[in-house]
Amino acid sequence: MKLNEKIQLLADLKEQWQKNDENWQRVVNKAVWNNPWYTKENVEQRVTYIQNYFLKMDNLNQFSQKYALPDLIIQPKIIALRIHGQMPLDSFHDFIALFLSGHTVQLLLDDRDKPLFMYLLNTMRKINPAITNHVQVVPRLKYLRYGA
């Protein structure tokens, strides 16, 4: 996927997500049930922030220009991201940055935040199945090499 396709995918995700459908409400309820620190209100507050700032088309374009993100990386690296789940979708901004960087993102999801992230990843797959080549959810991180 080229950079502009990824940006469009994130903008389309925002549009789908804002529909606030019954499936999303079930996912929120499951996440609140899984994590006693989550409340429906703080999940909704976090979602609103992500939708209005991280997934805003202008902000995504500015981010890609500010960091001179390449349109396409010929030999992408695999970058692991451990999602801790202390706050709802706490590392979503990290995911966006890695996804737009052009590298393959390996996600290790905390069980407490997994329903929220999986809903978003599955929605992204429905919009553009090519994301499957760029984002992987793994049960554990192995064969890690630290450093540049």
Side-chain angles (χ1 to χ4, degrees):
M1 289 178 76
K2 292 186 175 184
L3 180 61
N4 64 334
E5 293 172 311
K6 290 179 177 184
I7 290 172
Q8 186 60 55
L9 173 58
L10 291 169
D12 292 345
L13 171 65
K14 174 186 176 180
E15 197 174 296
Q16 279 295 119
W17 200 6
Q18 285 180 325
K19 292 179 181 176
N20 197 18
D21 66 11
E22 187 178 305
N23 290 332
W24 172 248
Q25 289 306 312
R26 262 197 308 276
V27 168
V28 169
N29 290 334
K30 183 175 182 180
V32 169
W33 177 260
N34 287 348
N35 189 342
W37 292 102
Y38 288 10
T39 65
K40 193 169 184 173
E41 293 75 25
N42 69 9
V43 172
E44 289 172 358
Q45 182 181 24
R46 182 69 176 158
V47 165
T48 299
Y49 185 82
I50 290 170
Q51 290 172 346
N52 291 337
Y53 295 99
F54 296 151
L55 298 180
K56 188 175 177 185
M57 182 70 89
D58 291 343
N59 293 349
L60 292 167
N61 284 318
Q62 285 176 9
F63 176 82
S64 68
Q65 291 167 2
K66 180 178 180 179
Y67 293 100
L69 295 175
D71 188 43
L72 188 64
I73 292 183
I74 302 303
Q75 294 182 328
K77 296 182 187 289
I78 296 174
I79 310 292
L81 178 60
R82 168 73 168 96
I83 308 297
H84 291 284
Q86 289 137 339
M87 289 176 34
L89 298 168
D90 189 29
S91 297
F92 196 72
H93 62 289
D94 296 320
F95 165 73
I96 291 172
L98 287 175
F99 178 62
L100 292 178
S101 75
H103 295 289
T104 301
V105 183
Q106 254 190 9
L107 293 173
L108 176 60
L109 301 174
D110 186 285
D111 287 340
R112 297 171 292 184
D113 214 20
K114 194 171 190 172
L116 302 174
F117 259 94
M118 289 308 297
Y119 174 87
L120 297 177
L121 294 174
N122 288 332
T123 302
M124 292 171 77
R125 278 189 197 104
K126 288 177 188 170
I127 296 168
N128 188 338
I131 189 178
T132 304
N133 300 325
H134 302 276
V135 180
Q136 305 164 352
V137 177
V138 296
R140 68 180 173 276
L141 300 175
K142 57 184 180 177
Y143 308 118
L144 292 180
R145 196 175 70 188
Y146 298 95

